[in-house]
């Protein structure tokens, strides 16, 4: 196996620009790796061999002409929720069978403008709905750390592909934790930027008031560079923010930990069901920062136990509305019925998996007359209170340190009860409701029945202050010296 | 919380979904558990709280407000042909749907 696949995003782009390696060589190395591993890991649902090599050749040409771009020639994996012009886009569902978009999402268009190469489209829980990457038409993704474990979800393919050295960085989406929980499960980095930082135009919608195009990579610096290439104001998305953007990947080491104020929410680490090893991981992180001169400050989140129920009203309500468009008439699957309504029903029943159906049904329940005030309106009020708690906390501190998931990684098929699965997102949902950015970073490993598995923490930051947040994540990375999974296979 | 078969049937109709008898029993149980779980929200006192429908328009004091208005202009091009290429059935610029008029 070519050692080229071990290069990170930043390093690979530098090498391509310096003509130490060509984009074609790099892309071929990743394609070979995907071919050798995809049968086991199942991270990719579509591999774009021809297109990737074509884009790589164009990249090499630009380098020759002295027209190199930010992430020149680096192969990237794209979650299959991002529309890619002329390339099959399925949302990992049966209902979008054969859907080849006639348009490119703004985020992916930005990546290609920055010199990126489309390696392929990544598996995930369909429409972003799931926490174990099992709610997919294309079969579960496996965790490269241990094949009988899940890489988490929904962005399981996005993390498995980078953890397994199949590409240098990937896009993901994060509605309630879908880039961070999988990052935690695979010893990789996941950034959920501020809501509005990355355009949602051309990203298949799940819950529009929460969906955040996100990033996965093996290091903080690479994830930061990827975010820089993806993000930016987009007039085509009415929720895109016209707010100045930093060069997220530069000067990451430029942080004086001395005097840094880190919020430690007692309610997060006292949550029932939190594995003591995860709690310890958070406390050790706090201690390391404290020893380096940071101030650890207690912050209050009295409503944490209500965040998941709040999310499971708002997200399904938005999902039920968004997914109403899949009617078998305009794109994808159609299963003929006896009449129009019967065709809708047969198409949707065959096209969605069970968890998707549950969320559509719940969404229609909480929006239906007689229940609207008790559920949907109530959830919007609780959301406001949760956002207020974050604002109060972030008035006092620079960042908040929190667990990413309540337990170490678990096995494929281990969790079947929906509510139990929903509670996996207890630590990632609250700041998503408030629109705040967060970054999940690995910390170390634990032993589970003789298997070594990664664990980590997350930092939550202020609106649009991703750069400050990433500096703290970078400092954490330097302190822990976490060793990613070794290249194997 | 228990949900009767009528509610499930109504939700399935609203959702344009259909379930076999076994699947219906399963989803009824799931929905009962989920609704019990989300009903916890009634414990929170939200008197006088303004609902938050979007991060961008939330009225949290001192927070960055970044919602914006756009001009009322048509910016989309006519892409009918390329969009209809993804349709299960389209002809002469029309989507072909099952007969709705007898």
């Amino acid at each position: 196996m070519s050692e080229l696949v071990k290069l990170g995003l930043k390093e690979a782009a530098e090498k391509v620009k310096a003509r130490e390696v060509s984009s074609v060589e790099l892309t071929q190395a990743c394609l070979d790796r995907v071919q050798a591993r995809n049968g086991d890991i199942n991270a990719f649902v579509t591999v774009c061999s021809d297109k990737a090599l074509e884009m790589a050749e164009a990249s090499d040409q630009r380098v020759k002409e002295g027209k190199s771009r930010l992430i020149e020639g680096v192969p990237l994996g794209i979650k299959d929720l991002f529309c890619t012009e002329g390339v099959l886009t399925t949302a990992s569902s049966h209902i979008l069978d054969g859907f080849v978009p006639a348009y490119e999402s703004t985020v992916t268009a930005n990546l290609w403008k920055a010199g990126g190469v489309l390696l392929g489209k990544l598996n995930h829980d369909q429409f972003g709905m799931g926490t174990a990457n099992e709610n997919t038409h294309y079969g579960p993704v496996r965790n490269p750390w241990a094949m009988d474990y899940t890489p988490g979800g929904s962005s399981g393919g996005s993390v498995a592909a980078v953890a397994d050295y199949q590409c240098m960085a990937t896009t993901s989406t994060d509605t309630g934790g879908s880039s961070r929980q999988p990052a935690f499960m695979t010893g990789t980095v996941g950034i959920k930027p501020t809501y509005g930082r990355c355009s949602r135009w051309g990203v298949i919608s799940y819950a529009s008031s929460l969906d955040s195009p996100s990033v996965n990579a093996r290091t903080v610096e690479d994830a930061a560079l990827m975010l820089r290439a993806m993000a930016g104001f987009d007039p085509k998305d009415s929720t895109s923010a016209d707010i100045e953007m930093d060069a997220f990947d530069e000067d990451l080491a430029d942080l004086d930990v001395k005097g840094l104020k880190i919020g430690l929410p007692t309610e997060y680490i006292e949550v029932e069901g939190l594995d003591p090893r995860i709690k310890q991981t958070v406390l050790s992180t706090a201690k390391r920062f404290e020893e380096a001169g940071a101030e650890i400050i207690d912050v209050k989140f009295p409503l944490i136990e209500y965040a998941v129920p709040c999310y499971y009203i708002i997200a399904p309500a938005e999902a039920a509305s968004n997914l109403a468009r899949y009617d078998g008439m305009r794109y994808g699957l159609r299963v003929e019925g006896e009449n129009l309504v019967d065709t809708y029903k047969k198409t949707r029943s065959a096209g969605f998996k069970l968890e998707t159906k549950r969320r559509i049904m719940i969404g229609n329940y909480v929006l239906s007359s007689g229940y609207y005030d008790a559920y949907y309106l109530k959830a919007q009020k609780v959301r406001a209170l949760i956002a207020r708690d974050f604002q109060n906390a972030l008035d006092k501190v620079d960042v908040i340190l929190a667990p990413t998931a309540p337990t170490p990684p678990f096995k494929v098929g281990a969790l079947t009860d929906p509510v139990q699965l929903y509670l996996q997102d207890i630590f990632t949902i609250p700041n998503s409701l408030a629109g705040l950015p967060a970054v999940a970073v690995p910390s170390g490993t634990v032993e589970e029945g003789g298997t070594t598995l990664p664990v980590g923490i997350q930092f939550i930051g202020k609106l649009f202050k991703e750069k400050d947040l990433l500096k703290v994540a970078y400092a954490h990375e330097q302190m822990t010296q976490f060793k990613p999974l070794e290249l194997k296979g | 919380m228990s949900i009767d078969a009528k509610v499930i049937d109504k939700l399935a109709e609203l959702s344009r979904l259909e379930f076999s008898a076994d699947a219906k029993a399963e989803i009824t149980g799931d929905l009962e558990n989920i609704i019990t779980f989300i009903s916890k929200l009634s414990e929170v006192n939200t008197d006088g709280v303004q609902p938050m429908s979007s991060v961008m328009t939330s009225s949290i004091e001192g927070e960055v407000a970044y919602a914006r208005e756009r001009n009322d202009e048509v910016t989309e091009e006519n892409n009918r042909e390329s969009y209809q290429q993804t349709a299960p059935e389209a002809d002469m610029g029309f989507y072909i749907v099952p007969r709705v008029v007898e």
Side-chain angles (χ1 to χ4, degrees), chain A residues 100 195 233 237 239-241 305-306 328-332 334 345 348-349 358 364 375 378 380 391, chain B residues 13 15-16 18 30 39-41 43-44 46 50 52-53 56 60-61 66 68 86-88 96-97 100:
Chain A
V100 178
Y195 179 84
F233 172 61
D237 172 4
T239 59
S240 170
E305 65 175 310
Y306 301 102
M329 300 300 137
R330 288 162 295 167
Y331 23 65
R334 177 189 292 187
K345 288 182 183 171
R348 290 166 61 81
S349 300
R358 279 187 201 120
N364 283 325
Y375 290 102
K378 183 79 180 178
Q380 287 188 318
Q391 197 198 0
Chain B
E13 185 64 30
S15 306
R16 296 289 190 256
E18 58 187 14
D30 290 344
S39 296
K40 256 176 91 75
L41 281 198
E43 297 166 12
V44 183
T46 53
Q50 285 300 310
M52 177 177 177
S53 58
M56 305 172 64
I60 311 168
E61 205 182 322
Y66 56 102
R68 66 193 157 78
T86 63
I96 309 297
V97 304
V100 287

Side-chain angles (χ1 to χ4, degrees), chain A residues 153-216:
Chain A
S154 71
S155 310
S158 301
V159 291
V162 290
D164 196 49
Y165 300 94
Q166 296 179 28
C167 59
M168 280 73 192
T170 54
T171 64
S172 49
T173 58
D174 192 315
T175 304
S178 280
S179 73
R180 288 166 285 156
Q181 181 256 19
F184 166 90
M185 305 276 263
T186 51
T188 55
V189 176
I191 308 174
K192 175 232 173 291
T194 309
Y195 179 84
R197 179 60 98 183
C198 288
S199 170
R200 292 187 297 111
W201 196 87
V203 183
I204 294 171
S205 296
Y206 158 27
S208 306
S209 79
L210 296 154
D211 292 344
S212 303
S214 299
V215 175
N216 289 106

Side-chain angles (χ1 to χ4, degrees), chain A residues 22 31 41 52 85 93 123 145 152 184 188 191 197 200 233 237 250 344 348 360 367 376 380 392 417 427 465-466 477:
Chain A
S22 72
L31 286 170
I41 304 280
E85 189 177 352
S93 74
N123 200 347
W145 285 74
F184 166 90
T188 55
I191 308 174
R197 179 60 98 183
R200 292 187 297 111
F233 172 61
D237 172 4
E250 287 176 5
Y344 291 157
R348 290 166 61 81
I360 293 172
L367 289 173
Y376 189 63
Q380 287 188 318
N392 289 340
D417 171 45
F427 301 119
K465 299 291 182 193
E466 287 91 350
E477 195 177 46

Side-chain angles (χ1 to χ4, degrees), chain A residues 378-399:
Chain A
K378 183 79 180 178
Q380 287 188 318
K381 290 179 180 176
V382 174
R383 183 179 185 180
L385 290 175
I386 290 170
R388 195 187 62 189
D389 285 346
F390 272 104
Q391 197 198 0
N392 289 340
L394 287 165
D395 279 347
K396 287 195 287 184
V397 299
D398 299 305
V399 292

